[in-house]
Amino acid sequence: MWDMNTNEDDYSETDLRELTTEPMFPVHIEGVEPLTMFSLEHWLVLYTHGLAPQPPYLLAPFPAQIHTQTELMGNLAEWELLKGTALDADLDYILNALASEHTNIIAGKLMLPQRAHERVVIYEGVLSESGAPEETTMMEQPTYPFIIVKTYDGRIISALSMDKGLTINVAPIGERTYAEAFADELAAMFDPEGAWKPATIRTIHVPASAATDPEVVNLGSGDGDTARQARQDLVERHVVHGDTIDALAAVNALDKFALVTFTPIIKLQDDSIYAHPDGSGSLVLASKDGAVPRAYVTAPEVDGNGRETYLYAPYSRAALLRGVEESYKTTAHLLRTRGLDDETNPFHVLRMGVEGAINAGLTGTPAEQPQVREGS
């Protein structure tokens, strides 16, 4: 069933299947298809039975548990993923590698804003305030989390959680650096056929203060005076050339069809992890006025003087690699300058895991000297 040396052409062929148990919190969602491959729902149940490690929070949000043990447990024996209490050796290796047995990590989400839609959800049991079934309608944007790791024995393993299940790929790193391997894996996951063409935008480096200024939104205002004033304010406030602001406005005017965010995760010597949203990059497929969508890369940058900028560049394998490398470099800079216990960091909770962070109270801990694990 398993080929531990899969390549990009094999990416969608891995055929892990289901295991689950009775839902703790019953949630019925209209239009749910039966699961046909291994998913986070199954991994969570393996964990609750003590047969697998806890799934990493980097793959959250975890799916609601909506399939019964009776429905799926029989398939497990048929697919020979579990014999008695012995988990399939390759599956056990992969889940442990994704959970903790790795040296380097990058994680993120695929979001499809153009496919946002309404979904009817029915809450029952403890999720219902009245105790009776309650129906609500919510707007749902398809969002699919993923994680890519480098293992201690020189493999790259990726997992992308989709509606159909958890798509897993395993490949040797070979002579590549982990950043090169991660960039290759991102391209294999989201542009396996190499069909994404580079967007017709300029490569620009925008001061981070300007790129994150709320005034940027007004560059796209339908009111000409408002847009011109926003441009002038950004130029003067951040001492940046007007052509750069014009190029930024052109990028922001594009309609996003697919947004892939990727966040470097630094593993520390105590096995805790550090990440910061300001270190995240992205791969974006976008269009304007109904044209064929094209792709571009964004990434934070920091120079030797600590000056922070944002890179915007037409998509290419080289641009994606640069985005991954610059994101790692910026994350390391943020760790050094802001420290581990920066509670303004939304990802602070990831450092010790949710349970550990709650137990520590998220407050009052003294700043620590960051120590990065060898090989990170």
Side-chain angles (χ1 to χ4, degrees), residues 210-276:
T212 58
D213 192 315
E215 193 69 31
V216 169
V217 174
N218 291 326
L219 291 172
S221 173
D223 180 80
D225 290 339
T226 299
R228 283 189 291 273
Q229 186 62 51
R231 180 184 187 275
Q232 180 179 338
D233 290 346
L234 289 167
V235 168
E236 294 176 353
R237 188 179 304 150
H238 303 286
V239 194
V240 60
H241 199 283
D243 287 350
T244 299
I245 297 301
D246 293 340
L248 178 61
V251 172
N252 288 341
L254 298 174
D255 296 320
K256 296 179 177 65
F257 284 82
L259 172 63
V260 178
T261 62
F262 51 87
T263 301
I265 315 295
I266 295 179
K267 192 169 185 178
L268 307 175
Q269 288 186 347
D270 63 356
D271 281 334
S272 65
I273 59 177
Y274 176 85
H276 199 292

Side-chain angles (χ1 to χ4, degrees), residues 7 17 29 119 142 200 220 227 243 258 274 307-308 323 358 375:
N7 56 42
R17 306 284 176 116
I29 304 176
R119 181 173 300 266
T200 53
D243 287 350
Y274 176 85
R307 180 175 179 266
E308 298 176 14
I358 292 173

